[in-house]
Structure formats: C-alpha cells, structure tokens
Amino acid sequence: MTKPSYNHLPQQLKNHYIIQRHGFSLANNAGLICSNPDIAIPPKGGPLNTGYGLHDKGKVQVKESATLLSKHLFPTQEAPAGDESPVVIFCSPFKRTVETAEIIQGVLNDTVLGGKLAAPIRELELRERWYGKLDMTTDKNYELCWIDDAADPDHGEHSQYGIESPTSVCDRTTRFIVDKIESQMEGKTVILVAHGDVCQIMMTAFKQVEPWKHRQLKHVDTANWRDTLNIE
C-alpha cells in the first residue's frame, strides 16, 4: 500500500507522543465555532473581553487531566535523573490551548519534574481547523462539516462552506512533527496540545488511517488526552 502524500509520519518515530485537547473554553460555553486566529489568539475580545481562553470549568478539567497524565507518564511519581526534562510541550497559539498547555506544564513540574519542564512552545501548525463560513456560528454546525468529511468521493476536499479539508490538517500537523520535532530531538515525551478535530485527525495519522475517518476513532473530549501508543 502506497503511503499517502499528506501523512508525513515515518514508520519508526524517535519520540513518544501524547495528543491533548484543550479544556472547556469560553467558546465552548457560548456554543460557538471559533477557528479564526485573529479572534482566538488575542488576549481581548470574547464574552469577558479577556479573549477566547478557558472557562473556569475548563481550568479545573485540565488540572485533573494533567494529574492523571503525570501518573501515566511517571507511575512511581519519582523525578527522573538528569538536568533536562524528558517532556516537551508544543501547543496551538490559540488562547485556549496556550492556557491548557501552561496548566499541564505547572502540574508536571509540581508533581514530578521540579521546574525542569520549560514553557510550552507555540506552533501555528497546531492551530484549529479553519471552518470557513461556519466560523463564529453555532457549534451545532460541526455536524455539517463532518457530513462533508464522510461523504464520497470528496471527503471534504471541496467544502461548500470553505472548510479546511482533513487532508490539509493531516499534512500541516504531520509535516510539523517531522520537520520540527523528529528531526531535532530524540527520546522525548512530546505533548501536542490542540483542538478537537485537529486531535482526531492527528490520531488518524498515527494510526495510519485516512484522515476523513477521524470521527470513527474514539472521541477526545475537552481536556482529555490520548497516548499515541494506544489509540482506539
């Protein structure tokens, strides 16, 4: 079987990957699709004029989820030897993902890593999927997107709503993993903090299935994570 051109992941990876979805956000609470970087990145705007970051509920979610992740990665909860952190965090630059990543950094440093884990690295390639004409509309419209994704023969390639295709998301995220992580580090646990569909589509890449089948994989709820060594 020929490897698809949009999935750049090699058969053998040098690092261990955790895919993490952001916590329940102000946009989630408002029932909005919020995928425009010009709206979702700045620390202003939104219902509280503090940007579209995490809802208080989401901050609690992430702290609880990060505590479980700490126990998953470090079952004995003993600090690893050496001066360098065995963990690196990359995140979408959207406010909700940055806040999620910073909470995870704090929990891992407090529980095991003792301050060794550096601040999350913001990467635009992990940004939210672009939802085109559906941006800033009701989140019930995600269903329209997923119907297009599943439909033969296009699978969202020529969306009537101008939505970014699953193959485009797969292409940019896996190219980022290869070019900026796999080529520059080895033996690390890498936490990728991103958004719902982006997480699902990245999981298809690790599982080596077509990206438009992302809804067939077990759903990653807000603040949840998946170990790519065990994707269902």
Side-chain angles (χ1 to χ4, degrees), residues 36-97:
N36 185 342
D38 292 340
I39 296 172
I41 292 177
K44 59 184 179 180
L48 305 176
N49 201 32
T50 56
Y52 279 98
L54 293 180
H55 189 277
D56 286 345
K57 170 184 170 181
K59 295 174 183 177
V60 173
Q61 279 184 329
V62 175
K63 191 166 185 178
E64 292 174 350
S65 177
T67 301
L68 293 175
L69 180 58
S70 176
K71 292 175 181 176
H72 174 75
L73 295 177
F74 305 99
T76 66
Q77 291 289 278
E78 293 180 7
D83 295 329
E84 285 191 14
S85 169
V87 179
V88 181
I89 304 176
F90 292 90
C91 65
S92 157
F94 282 28
K95 193 166 191 279
R96 58 191 184 262
T97 36

Side-chain angles (χ1 to χ4, degrees), residues 71 115 127 131 143 147 182 230:
K71 292 175 181 176
R127 69 189 179 276
Y131 289 97
E143 294 291 341
I147 289 169
E182 287 292 296
N230 186 29

Side-chain angles (χ1 to χ4, degrees), residues 105-158:
Q105 177 202 10
V107 169
L108 291 180
N109 272 332
D110 289 345
T111 56
V112 177
L113 297 177
K116 295 178 185 176
L117 178 53
I121 301 166
R122 305 178 191 191
E123 291 290 349
L124 194 59
E125 293 91 336
L126 294 175
R127 69 189 179 276
E128 174 66 290
R129 184 181 185 183
W130 170 238
Y131 289 97
K133 295 176 183 177
L134 303 184
D135 188 59
M136 298 308 288
T137 67
T138 172
D139 58 11
K140 291 181 174 61
N141 285 333
Y142 282 129
E143 294 291 341
L144 299 175
C145 169
W146 298 332
I147 289 169
D148 276 359
D149 289 350
D152 291 327
D154 268 7
H155 296 296
E157 287 299 319
H158 303 93

Side-chain angles (χ1 to χ4, degrees), residues 20-29 52-63 65 95-101 103-104 193-195 221-224:
Q20 167 86 46
R21 185 178 173 189
H22 65 78
F24 186 79
S25 68
L26 293 172
N28 291 141
N29 192 59
Y52 279 98
L54 293 180
H55 189 277
D56 286 345
K57 170 184 170 181
K59 295 174 183 177
V60 173
Q61 279 184 329
V62 175
K63 191 166 185 178
S65 177
K95 193 166 191 279
R96 58 191 184 262
T97 36
V98 171
E99 289 180 344
T100 298
I103 293 171
I104 295 167
V193 184
H195 308 264
D221 207 349
T222 52
N224 280 204

